[in-house]
Structures are given as structure tokens and as C-alpha cells.
Amino acid sequence: MTDSTRTEPAGPAQRTTRDLTRAAVSGWLGTAMEFMDFQLYSLAAAIVFNKVFFPDVSPAIGLIAAMATYGVGYVARLAGAVYFGRMGDRIGRKKVLFLTILLMGVSTTLIGALPTYATIGILAPILLVALRLVQGFGAGAEIAGATVMLAEYAPTKRRGLVSSLVSLGTNSGTLAASGLWAILLATLSDEQLIEWGWRLPFLLSFGLMIFAVWLRRNLKESPVFEERPDVVDGVAMSRSEVESSLAKKHESVLEAGIRQRKGKAFFLALGLRFGQAGNSGLVQTFLVGYIATTLDAGRSIPTDAILYGSLLGFVTVPLIGLLGDRYGRRPIYIGLTLLTIAFAFPMMLLITSGSTAALMLGMILGLNVGVLGLFSLESVTMAELFGSRTRFTQLALAKEIGGILATAIGPVLAATLTAVTDSWWPIAAMLVVYSLITLVSAVLAPETRGRDLVRLEDAI
């Protein structure tokens, strides 16, 4: 039964340039924090956590246990995507983004304050896993929420450029975390690092969290959410309330959103995500280890290539956003995926040529074309594919499911195939297959540039 005291929405919400700037900084900062938190943890898990939290087992088992605590965060991400996605569609984007940044920030800071195994025994790794779960639970909706908020805030003609700031946040967070650990490793002895140095990056993130929380506390709600025809008094009507409203009077806008069968847009978005996430797992994760071990090129070369490629990404990401605004999402998507497919085998020839310069060129170009360029387009296209009534939920699930499937399976499958064939060609073939999935999705998807994001129904 519809509450008769609820008032009708009050027309288009107005936002100033200052509001847009605050939203843009908030989206960039939140995504940067997410990736910084996860990168801080992954590096700590690889470098010291086996000694700090699992000292009573062999080094190999300790490393496996430390990496397992890293992996549980990804399980929690999916749960967070469902829980916070539905909340964001129901009560607004702002409230959810405030909660996710708080959960990520507090859990990351507390990891730096944890007692070690030597102090409290088995309770130490248990607390570590618990905090990792909380961290992942918040992160599961952070990047999706930031993407939705920026897309819904941005001027229609600059939506691709503004939304690309979310993608820049990934570079910023990864570079910040890597830089902090590089400083620690260069300035502290092994004993200092294990005794207290590993805590510093986690504790220092507290200051960043305070600023991010303050920023989001003062952020205005998404204008699209406030303009939705199914939102009254700041809360979305339930399906039964919408049905009741339709029974009293025919409202085509509400009917379009409630009657449409969901699924097509979600699977297209999943396909768009699959290529980018799969390529990322191969280029940024698997190839780093493959180059250092199988090709015996040294660990610094592939990591330096990722560093330089990420720096170039500060140009690539906004450029792709601008091109998408000017020429549309589909043609740029199709062009980037065709380039990735065409470059897959030449990239591996460069990487395996024996030349350090050629190797780094291959990695840098592969990262920017097949990963960061696609990520820039993904940020805005997925938001435009979904209707405003379920945009947050569907986008979060598409990102997390696509990311888990492609990123989790890809490196393992690549390692198996390269070992069996004793060759690099399976890596190139997998890049082609991942990119083909995205290419097919881009061809089948409608052009979404300029779409009215207030509409409740999906674009297809």
C-alpha cells in the first residue's frame, strides 16, 4: 500500500560546477583508495605476512596462507556488490559511497594496528582474515558506486571524460601503494620491516580516509537519483508501490521501468567487462611473473614496464573518454578491441625478442590499448546501458562477476597452457579470445552516448 504522505519528486535537481568537481574528486579518490588498499595488502602478503602472521609453518606454506587471506577479499567483494548495490538503488548513491569508503578505510587502518602471531597466536591471522573480509565487502561496491555517481553527475556531452576519472583512480592507487612499499624496502632493514615497518602504509592510509569521508559527507546526492520518477522523499518505491501507482493511473515512464525484462543489458555489460578484466589479468599479473621467471629477464623489467605504462595511462584514459564523447562508445570500443586483437601476437613477439626495450614497448602498449583504454570506455558505457532503477546493482555485479571469472581463471589457465606447450602463443591466443568477447558485445550493444540516465529501463 502506498504511503499517502509521501510527496512527489520536485523537478530537475540543480548542480553547480563546484558540486561536479567535488563529485569528480570523490570518485577518483575513492577508487584510488580501493586500489591502494588492495595493492598495499597484496604486496604485504607477498613480502612479510607469511613471517608476521604464519611463522610456525614452512616459508612456502606461509606464503600460500598469506595469499589465501588476500583471496578471501574477492569473495567478500561479490557479497558487497549485491548488498550495497541494492541499497544504492533504493536509498541513494551518496549514503552507500559514504559507507563503503568508511568500511575500506577503517579496515585498512586496523590491519596496520593488528597484533602479530608472536603476541596473540592463532587469533592474529583470524583477525587479519576478518578485516580482509570487511575491506572486500566495502570495495565490492566502491568502484561501481563511483562510476554511477560520476556518470549521473556529468554533463551529457562530457560524460565519457568525467567518468574516466574512475579509471584514473586505479592508476593513482596502484602507483601510491607501490611507491610506499618501494620507499620502505629501500630504507629499512629486513628486521625493521618485519618488526614495525610493514604497519606504516596501512596506518598512513588513515589520513586519506578522513579526507575522503569528509568529502563524501558533504557531497550532494546524484541528480539522476533525485529526478527518478520512482523516487519520493529520497527513497525508491518498491515494486508493489509502483504497481499500486500504475493501477491508479497509467504512467508510461514508470511502466517502462517496471515491466521491462532484465538480462540483455547485463550480459552485454558482462561481455564488455570480461575482455578488459581478462586482458588485465594476463598483462598486469601473469606476464610479470612469466617475464621474470620463464624468460629470466629479472623482476624489475616487467614491473618497470607496468609503472611506465600506468603513467602513460594518465594520458590514455582521458583521451579515450574524450573520443567516446565525440564519436560514440561503440566505434571506439570496436576500434580498441580490433587493435588489441591485431597487436596480441606482435606484442608477444616483442616481449620474447630478447630486447629489453622491445619488451617494455610491448608491455606498455598492451597495457594502454587492451586494458586501460577499454577500462576508460567501460566506466561510462556500462552506466549508460542500465536503467536508473537498477543501475548500481547491475553495474556492481557485472564488474565483480566479470572480474572474478576472467581475472581468477586467466592467469591459471595461461600458466597451464604455456607449461604444456612450452611456448608463448597461448598468451596471445587468450588475449585474442578475451578481446573477441568484448568485440562481439560492443557490436551487439546499442550506442549509448547521450542517453537520458534518468530513464528507469535498460538501453536494450
Side-chain angles (χ1 to χ4, degrees), residues 272 329-337 374 377-378 381 438 442:
L272 296 178
R329 320 301 180 208
R330 289 182 74 248
I332 306 302
Y333 243 124
I334 291 169
L336 277 177
T337 49
L374 289 177
L377 276 177
E378 175 188 298
T381 308
T438 292

Side-chain angles (χ1 to χ4, degrees), residues 40-364:
L40 284 177
Y41 193 98
S42 65
L43 291 171
I47 297 169
V48 298
F49 277 1
N50 60 323
K51 300 170 185 175
V52 173
F53 291 101
F54 307 97
D56 286 353
V57 297
S58 69
I61 298 299
L63 181 60
I64 292 171
M67 288 298 174
T69 65
Y70 173 74
V72 298
Y74 283 93
V75 177
R77 288 180 71 100
L78 188 57
V82 175
Y83 181 79
F84 286 118
R86 296 180 65 180
M87 183 186 293
D89 284 325
R90 176 71 172 162
I91 65 171
R93 317 330 190 181
K94 173 188 172 179
K95 295 174 183 176
V96 168
L97 285 172
F98 179 81
L99 290 174
T100 56
I101 205 79
L102 195 62
L103 282 174
M104 289 194 309
V106 169
S107 58
T108 300
T109 302
L110 288 178
I111 287 174
L114 276 178
T116 64
Y117 187 93
T119 305
I120 60 171
I122 192 63
L123 189 58
I126 291 174
L127 290 174
L128 180 65
V129 170
L131 289 175
R132 179 64 176 159
L133 287 170
V134 174
Q135 188 188 56
F137 190 63
E142 170 59 37
I143 194 169
T147 298
V148 168
M149 186 65 115
L150 280 187
E152 292 183 345
Y153 248 92
T156 303
K157 292 183 178 181
R158 287 290 177 264
R159 193 181 287 156
L161 175 62
V162 174
S163 298
S164 73
L165 289 175
V166 172
S167 306
L168 284 183
T170 66
N171 278 17
S172 303
T174 301
L175 289 172
S178 301
L180 282 172
W181 270 102
I183 293 171
L184 290 177
L185 291 171
T187 57
L188 300 180
S189 65
D190 289 345
E191 292 76 15
Q192 290 173 321
L193 191 66
I194 293 171
E195 186 176 347
W196 54 268
W198 67 270
R199 299 182 184 275
L200 294 180
F202 296 99
L203 296 176
L204 288 173
S205 70
F206 180 76
L208 189 59
M209 180 202 72
I210 293 298
F211 175 67
V213 166
W214 171 82
L215 193 65
R216 290 195 172 173
R217 185 176 179 83
N218 292 281
L219 183 66
K220 292 181 180 178
E221 181 55 83
S222 155
V224 167
F225 182 82
E226 291 186 350
E227 291 174 31
R228 275 171 48 182
D230 65 330
V231 170
V232 289
D233 293 341
V235 179
M237 290 188 288
S238 65
R239 186 180 182 88
S240 62
E241 287 177 320
V242 174
E243 296 281 7
S244 176
S245 176
L246 289 173
K248 294 176 182 177
K249 54 181 179 178
H250 179 73
E251 298 182 62
S252 58
V253 175
L254 283 174
E255 188 172 27
I258 202 73
R259 305 292 189 202
Q260 183 188 42
R261 294 184 64 181
K262 302 291 182 183
K264 291 181 180 179
F266 178 81
F267 285 109
L268 287 175
L270 196 61
L272 296 178
R273 171 66 171 157
F274 205 85
Q276 185 276 327
N279 293 346
S280 175
L282 290 176
V283 175
Q284 293 180 278
T285 302
F286 176 74
L287 275 178
V288 172
Y290 179 82
I291 291 167
T293 55
T294 304
L295 301 184
D296 197 25
R299 292 190 179 275
S300 64
I301 293 175
T303 53
D304 285 348
I306 295 296
L307 174 64
Y308 298 142
S310 297
L311 290 173
L312 181 59
F314 284 95
V315 176
T316 301
V317 167
L319 176 61
I320 295 299
L322 279 171
L323 292 174
D325 283 332
R326 181 163 185 176
Y327 299 107
R329 320 301 180 208
R330 289 182 74 248
I332 306 302
Y333 243 124
I334 291 169
L336 277 177
T337 49
L338 287 174
L339 277 174
T340 305
I341 291 168
F343 185 60
F345 281 88
M347 181 186 82
M348 290 307 302
L349 286 171
L350 287 171
I351 289 173
T352 58
S353 66
S355 165
T356 299
L359 186 156
M360 296 191 74
L361 178 63
M363 288 281 284
I364 290 169

